[in-house]
Amino acid sequence: MVEAGGTLPVWVTLLSIKSRELANQRELAGMIGIQGATLTHHLNAMEMQGLLTRRRDPVNRRVHQVELTEAGEALFLKLRIAAFAFDKRLRKGLSDDRLAEFAAVLAALRANVEG
């Protein structure tokens, strides 16, 4: 990520925003799995870099709507290439069956934690 011009928190934030047409900060924090204050820190830095904009929701002024700028879209595309390359390197030599088994084990572990 660093070589592509970003960081993991920036990538996860861009990906979460991109996965929804328009999201508010509370929803983004939940999707990313971090506290609102931590997300605010990341969003402040990303806004200063020109990667996103925030505006108050006209219906609920306590809520900020978050959108990517053109620069944010461009960085998203650049980081997506880096993420795909990393994923390809990570999965090298692993069959689809082994990956499916691994996913099943992770799902079982998650169910155990949540149950």
Side-chain angles (χ1 to χ4, degrees):
M1 287 292 150
V2 173
E3 291 175 7
T7 64
L8 183 58
V10 168
W11 166 243
V12 173
T13 303
L14 291 173
L15 181 61
S16 297
I17 294 169
K18 188 74 174 161
S19 70
R20 298 188 54 132
E21 188 65 28
L22 192 65
N24 67 52
Q25 287 185 215
R26 187 177 309 128
E27 292 170 340
L28 282 173
M31 288 190 307
I32 296 171
I34 60 177
Q35 296 295 317
T38 302
L39 177 64
T40 298
H41 171 75
H42 291 302
L43 292 179
N44 287 342
M46 293 173 71
E47 190 172 32
M48 287 178 62
Q49 295 167 4
L51 300 174
L52 57 86
T53 60
R54 291 183 283 182
R55 62 181 171 79
R56 298 239 183 234
D57 185 322
V59 176
N60 182 350
R61 303 236 350 117
R62 293 178 297 165
V63 174
H64 284 93
Q65 299 292 335
V66 183
E67 297 179 85
L68 297 182
T69 62
E70 285 186 33
E73 293 279 352
L75 183 59
F76 169 80
L77 295 174
K78 191 173 180 182
L79 294 180
R80 183 174 68 174
I81 292 168
F84 282 140
F86 176 77
D87 187 61
K88 185 177 180 180
R89 192 173 81 230
L90 186 66
R91 294 169 186 256
K92 184 179 179 182
L94 298 174
S95 69
D96 289 343
D97 289 341
R98 286 193 72 197
L99 290 171
E101 182 180 346
F102 180 62
V105 169
L106 289 177
L109 290 172
R110 182 181 201 146
N112 289 343
V113 168
E114 293 173 351

